[in-house]
Amino acid sequence: QSVLTQPPSVSGAPGQTVTISCTGSSSNIGAGYDVHWYQQLPGTAPKLLVYGHNYRPSGVPDRFSVSKSGTSASLAITGLQAEDEADYYCQSYDSSLSGSVFGGGTKLTVL
Amino acid sequence: QVQLVQSGAEVKKPGASVKVSCKASGYTFTSYYIHWVRQAPGQGLEWKGMINPSGGITRFPQNFQGRVTMTSDTSTNTVYMELSSLRSEDTAVYYCARGQMISGNLDYWGRGTLVTVSS
């Protein structure tokens, strides 16, 4: 049972927009800690996708954006492409656990 | 360029210990924390702790304390994670990743080390 809750799967057709939610609590997202998002392609290490207040590492397209409200955060992917098919994870800090926590991951399928 | 190079796959018997290394290059080693993240087969990511190479301060989740030791060697820019009393549930890929603080993002990752615990 992950501290941050994500939907197990989402899907969308090429060109569409999908949103992945990440629900936490008052000791992590709700406490104001930043949420970071990672993309993991099959058989590879996770890659930092978006961090903090919508910052993207060099090379990550602006089709990926995030929002945050209360105890939840969301990752939006616009203009879906076949190469976006991957697992996506959210991460934050939890003050009651005194450590980083991850969501359970969401598998994105591009139809 | 920033690189984190991890040691190779390990196969261990239950009750044994394993030591995984993560060699950093391309940045000032003591300016960033090294985090360890575990991924069991077909499962999600799980944070297993971090070390500040400058001073060696460590932090682990409660369910990992007592079995894990993390150390750093500033002469070789290498961090080590040793896990003892291995059980089958420890079978996983262990990633090291760089972070600026305990609560920050992990911007560079190693390729992972598969640890298999089997009798």
Side-chain angles (χ1 to χ4, degrees):
Chain A
Q1 198 82 347
S2 302
V3 173
L4 304 179
T5 301
Q6 298 181 234
S9 63
V10 296
S11 62
Q16 285 189 333
T17 296
V18 295
T19 301
I20 299 173
S21 61
C22 174
T23 302
S25 68
S26 58
S27 61
N28 41 68
I29 299 175
Y33 293 106
D34 282 340
V35 181
H36 316 296
W37 293 85
Y38 301 85
Q39 177 192 61
Q40 186 177 33
L41 298 170
T44 69
K47 166 190 150 184
L48 180 62
L49 192 66
V50 186
Y51 61 99
H53 300 279
N54 244 340
Y55 301 112
R56 288 177 296 276
S58 174
V60 175
D62 59 7
R63 300 187 297 106
F64 296 90
S65 63
V66 299
S67 61
K68 183 179 153 187
S69 178
T71 57
S72 295
S74 293
L75 169 72
I77 310 172
T78 60
L80 263 185
Q81 300 180 4
E83 67 213 46
D84 298 333
E85 192 160 285
D87 293 325
Y88 292 84
Y89 294 90
C90 60
Q91 177 224 351
S92 187
Y93 178 81
D94 191 286
S95 57
S96 63
L97 298 174
S98 297
S100 263
V101 289
F102 283 95
T106 299
K107 182 174 182 60
L108 168 62
T109 301
V110 181
L111 302 170
Chain B
Q1 72 282 24
V2 175
Q3 280 193 304
L4 298 175
V5 178
Q6 298 186 226
S7 49
E10 303 264 10
V11 179
K12 296 290 182 181
K13 293 195 182 306
S17 297
V18 68
K19 194 169 186 177
V20 180
S21 67
C22 172
K23 183 174 174 59
S25 62
Y27 70 97
T28 302
F29 180 60
T30 51
S31 294
Y32 292 82
Y33 293 18
I34 292 292
H35 295 245
W36 290 89
V37 177
R38 180 166 88 175
Q39 186 169 38
Q43 302 299 309
L45 304 176
E46 191 181 5
W47 183 76
K48 301 314 278 184
M50 52 127 272
I51 181 168
N52 181 349
S54 175
I57 292 174
T58 55
R59 190 84 63 86
F60 314 113
Q62 272 204 329
N63 62 6
F64 222 43
Q65 284 179 4
R67 287 207 298 139
V68 64
T69 303
M70 292 181 188
T71 55
S72 66
D73 183 343
T74 55
S75 68
T76 60
N77 288 359
T78 303
V79 165
Y80 300 90
M81 182 197 68
E82 184 169 18
L83 186 57
S84 61
S85 303
L86 288 168
R87 31 206 194 225
S88 58
E89 311 90 87
D90 295 318
T91 294
V93 175
Y94 291 77
Y95 294 102
C96 64
R98 188 184 83 159
Q100 279 197 313
M101 60 185 78
I102 187 172
S103 60
N105 63 76
L106 305 177
D107 59 356
Y108 287 91
W109 294 62
R111 289 191 173 187
T113 296
L114 175 61
V115 174
T116 303
V117 182
S118 173
S119 55

